[in-house]
Amino acid sequence: MIALDMVKEYTLIGYMKLLPYILRELPRKWAYGDKGTIVLIPGFHETDLSFYSLGNFLSHHGYKVLTIPEFKSIETVAQIFTKLERLIASLDETNIVLLSHSKGGIVAKHFLDNSSQTNKIKFSISLATPYQGSIFARLRFHNIHELDSDSNLIKDVSQKGAHVAKVINLYPKFDNHVIPNKNLMLKGAKNIQINVNGHTRILVCDETYTEIIKALANN
């Protein structure tokens, strides 16, 4: 079962790598919506179009979906933080929702803990985030070392609790990129397991979408 799911997982990753060359730009409809504003934060080696299916789903349900200008996933968390803070500061809205995947969840939690704009954030939904690091961060390329369990960043993100109640943490039943899987847990957050195998497949899982809509309606 897991073996077949991993075939689907890496096929999906390949498809997401091709999307920027196929679509060229984000759907214009994402910029419109009157139910609320959602800011997307992709993960390591991902683009905004990694959220293509989920972004379309949220747009269809009436939400305005925004992305971080000049986002580059291989930049440091601090660099992405600065760009995110600039975006949030430019918005007149309050009750903004952060929606992130993988490394993006680390950016979102770091933002909640350290930004002067935190009061504008209603809550944060993270998907498959290595809150306590991953052994793959020991590979040491493109700033992935920041996600090492022993890094100061990961220790701060996993231990600071002032805003942790704002975090809804959705994680897969088996995650092939966050090893060990227990590192997906964030103490004090609302941790919800999604019945799917795959670090990336959680982005296209119906149960994920159900939990996100539930969170948006109830928080």
Side-chain angles (χ1 to χ4, degrees):
M1 177 64 175
I2 290 181
L4 177 58
D5 285 343
M6 290 303 97
V7 171
K8 295 177 181 178
E9 164 83 356
Y10 288 103
T11 299
L12 176 62
I13 291 173
Y15 168 73
M16 287 181 172
K17 294 290 186 185
L18 289 174
L19 269 182
Y21 301 99
I22 298 170
L23 297 177
R24 301 292 180 179
E25 62 182 21
L26 297 172
R28 294 181 181 178
K29 63 183 180 179
W30 285 16
Y32 305 95
D34 56 11
K35 280 192 173 181
T37 298
I38 298 173
V39 175
L40 304 179
I41 314 175
F44 182 71
H45 267 221
E46 294 178 351
T47 69
D48 299 329
L49 285 169
S50 297
F51 283 100
Y52 182 67
S53 177
L54 186 48
N56 285 336
F57 174 81
L58 294 168
S59 177
H60 176 75
H61 280 78
Y63 292 92
K64 179 163 62 174
V65 181
L66 302 181
T67 58
I68 302 172
E70 300 179 4
F71 174 84
K72 295 179 182 177
S73 72
I74 63 174
E75 289 185 326
T76 65
V77 167
Q79 289 172 313
I80 300 171
F81 169 95
T82 298
K83 293 177 180 180
L84 174 60
E85 189 167 53
R86 190 179 303 131
L87 170 63
I88 299 300
S90 73
L91 301 175
D92 292 331
E93 301 103 306
T94 56
N95 294 330
I96 298 164
V97 175
L98 302 179
L99 177 57
S100 56
H101 179 240
S102 193
K103 175 184 172 180
I106 300 299
V107 176
K109 179 60 164 53
H110 184 64
F111 183 89
L112 290 176
D113 291 334
N114 297 284
S115 176
S116 61
Q117 302 295 315
T118 296
N119 63 312
K120 287 187 174 183
I121 307 302
K122 188 176 183 182
F123 62 94
S124 173
I125 304 173
S126 61
L127 310 175
T129 294
Y131 281 113
Q132 298 181 62
S134 173
I135 62 171
F136 289 112
R138 297 174 186 172
L139 295 174
R140 307 271 168 181
F141 70 98
H142 290 170
N143 296 307
I144 197 173
H145 63 275
E146 289 189 304
L147 306 182
D148 190 298
S149 298
D150 292 327
S151 75
N152 290 332
L153 172 67
I154 289 297
K155 288 178 181 177
D156 283 347
V157 163
S158 63
Q159 293 173 11
K160 286 184 176 178
H163 300 284
V164 72
K166 282 189 173 186
V167 179
I168 298 172
N169 175 34
L170 308 183
Y171 62 96
K173 187 168 58 175
F174 170 75
D175 194 308
N176 47 302
H177 288 174
V178 180
I179 306 294
N181 281 188
K182 67 180 183 179
N183 287 5
L184 292 160
M185 298 296 101
L186 178 61
K187 185 179 179 180
K190 185 175 183 180
N191 297 290
I192 302 172
Q193 186 181 81
I194 302 299
N195 187 28
V196 65
N197 292 320
H199 183 74
T200 305
R201 291 180 71 225
I202 195 171
L203 285 167
V204 296
C205 176
D206 288 344
E207 187 179 335
T208 300
Y209 294 9
T210 298
E211 289 294 339
I212 290 173
I213 287 298
K214 187 188 301 182
L216 291 169
N218 296 335
N219 291 276

